[in-house]
Amino acid sequence: RQAPERARVRTSAYAMQNVKNVKLPSAGVITGVVQTVVFGGGATYGLYNSLFNVEGGHRAIVYNRVLGIKDKVYTEGTHLMIPWFERPISYDVRSRAHQVSSTSGSKDLQMVNISLRVLTRPDSSKLPEVYRTLGTDFNERVLPSIIHETLKSVVAQYNASQLLTQREQVSLAVRDTLIKRAQHFNMIMDDVSITALTFGREYTAAIEAKQVAQQDAERAKFIVEKAVQDKRSAIIKAEGEAKSAKLIGEAVSNNPAFITLRKIEAAREIAQTMAESNNRVMLNADSLLLNLADLGPGGGKK
């Protein structure tokens, strides 16, 4: 038992001696490693945060903690900035659609509901001023107020009927006014269009009643004109029949053979009709005027 214990003691002593013989790095080396890690990490952090990207269809401005908003506008691509002291502010300069509905009064005091669709974008050359005065939510701050005011001022210049018949002119007036108003806020209007135009319930009912009355008047006018034309047609027909009878009477009195000629024509028509028929019919020749051979030049039987 004593021999194994002595071996263990010797092994422990040898291990302690090896630990004492291990050479640790000097303080200068450790300091250099720490400095390398610190400065390398700081340089990596600084390089990573000193770059910012501007996506397609966007523009950016930079806010400096000392100088404030810079006047330079950054276009698409990668740009440099001072970390912590500066931060980028991005703007979407593509046209975006906005639809606003408004209720206005016309010149003849009729209530009009108008829906307007506009395409707007900020003026990319004046983004620093836009940020100083309006911030990034400039559309929500500006568009509702200027659109409502513009619609009310333009609609008040037209009657309700003119809003329908001169819709293109009204749209152009709204567009010109909005473009001028938006320029004061450094905004650009690419398109302005009226998507809906409706009137109040009372005015709509009045228009429908007027249309029904006009249709009834047109229908009555047509009936009167038709009666006049029918009367003229009956008069012309009666005059024609009277003139025809007069001419026939004169022809019979002047030429007795006229009756014979008419009988021949009637017999020809009857004969043609019977010839084209598929049925065989036996009729009295006297009643059908087919006994023409018995007629003399004077119209009597021989």
Side-chain angles (χ1 to χ4, degrees):
R1 294 179 179 175
Q2 294 179 356
E5 291 179 359
R6 291 176 181 176
R8 292 173 186 167
V9 172
R10 291 176 182 175
T11 302
S12 300
Y14 181 74
M16 292 297 295
Q17 187 176 359
N18 290 336
V19 171
K20 292 178 181 179
N21 293 333
V22 174
K23 294 182 179 181
L24 297 175
S26 62
V29 175
I30 295 175
T31 302
V33 172
V34 172
Q35 290 177 351
T36 301
V37 172
V38 171
F39 286 106
T44 302
Y45 173 82
L47 181 62
Y48 177 79
N49 288 276
S50 63
L51 299 176
F52 67 95
N53 293 325
V54 180
E55 302 295 335
H58 291 69
R59 297 292 184 271
I61 56 177
V62 172
Y63 170 76
N64 188 287
R65 294 181 183 271
V66 179
L67 303 176
I69 297 295
K70 292 184 175 181
D71 293 331
K72 182 180 180 180
V73 177
Y74 294 84
T75 57
E76 302 170 2
T78 302
H79 305 276
L80 292 172
M81 67 176 181
I82 302 175
W84 190 80
F85 282 97
E86 296 180 344
R87 60 182 177 87
I89 302 170
S90 180
Y91 275 88
D92 187 353
V93 294
R94 294 171 293 187
S95 296
R96 288 187 290 178
H98 302 273
Q99 186 157 347
V100 179
S101 299
S102 176
T103 301
S104 306
S106 63
K107 189 176 182 180
D108 53 355
L109 304 180
Q110 298 295 333
M111 300 308 297
V112 184
N113 300 317
I114 301 181
S115 294
L116 198 68
R117 183 179 182 271
V118 297
L119 291 177
T120 63
R121 57 186 173 89
D123 189 348
S124 59
S125 63
K126 298 180 180 179
L127 289 180
E129 184 66 21
V130 172
Y131 184 78
R132 290 190 185 100
T133 56
L134 300 174
T136 55
D137 56 343
F138 55 92
N139 282 325
E140 289 73 15
R141 293 189 178 189
V142 175
L143 286 181
S145 59
I146 65 174
I147 289 178
H148 285 296
E149 182 179 356
T150 299
L151 288 177
K152 291 181 184 298
S153 62
V154 173
V155 170
Q157 302 174 10
Y158 296 89
N159 293 329
S161 59
Q162 292 176 335
L163 293 175
L164 294 175
T165 58
Q166 303 178 13
R167 181 165 179 170
E168 184 176 358
Q169 182 177 349
V170 175
S171 180
L172 289 176
V174 172
R175 175 187 174 89
D176 294 339
T177 306
L178 273 180
I179 290 176
K180 293 178 181 179
R181 291 297 309 278
Q183 288 177 351
H184 295 290
F185 300 96
N186 300 313
M187 296 175 60
I188 299 175
M189 294 281 180
D190 290 328
D191 182 67
V192 178
S193 58
I194 298 176
T195 58
L197 179 63
T198 58
F199 297 93
R201 184 180 304 173
E202 295 79 5
Y203 186 77
T204 303
I207 292 177
E208 293 178 353
K210 182 178 179 181
Q211 291 178 345
V212 171
Q214 289 178 348
Q215 292 176 357
D216 292 341
E218 292 294 332
R219 187 180 297 108
K221 183 179 178 181
F222 172 76
I223 293 174
V224 172
E225 291 180 353
K226 184 176 181 298
V228 172
Q229 294 297 329
D230 291 343
K231 180 180 179 181
R232 290 178 180 175
S233 177
I235 293 173
I236 293 173
K237 183 178 180 181
E239 291 176 351
E241 291 178 351
K243 187 174 182 180
S244 176
K246 181 179 179 181
L247 292 175
I248 291 174
E250 292 178 354
V252 171
S253 61
N254 296 331
N255 188 6
F258 179 76
I259 297 177
T260 304
L261 178 62
R262 296 301 296 268
K263 288 183 178 182
I264 293 173
E265 292 176 354
R268 184 184 297 113
E269 292 179 0
I270 295 173
Q272 184 178 358
T273 303
M274 295 181 62
E276 294 176 354
S277 175
N278 294 327
N279 300 324
R280 295 186 178 277
V281 181
M282 302 300 293
L283 298 174
N284 187 358
D286 293 335
S287 61
L288 295 178
L289 305 177
L290 295 178
N291 54 343
L292 299 177
D294 299 335
L295 293 176
K301 292 184 180 182
K302 292 181 179 180

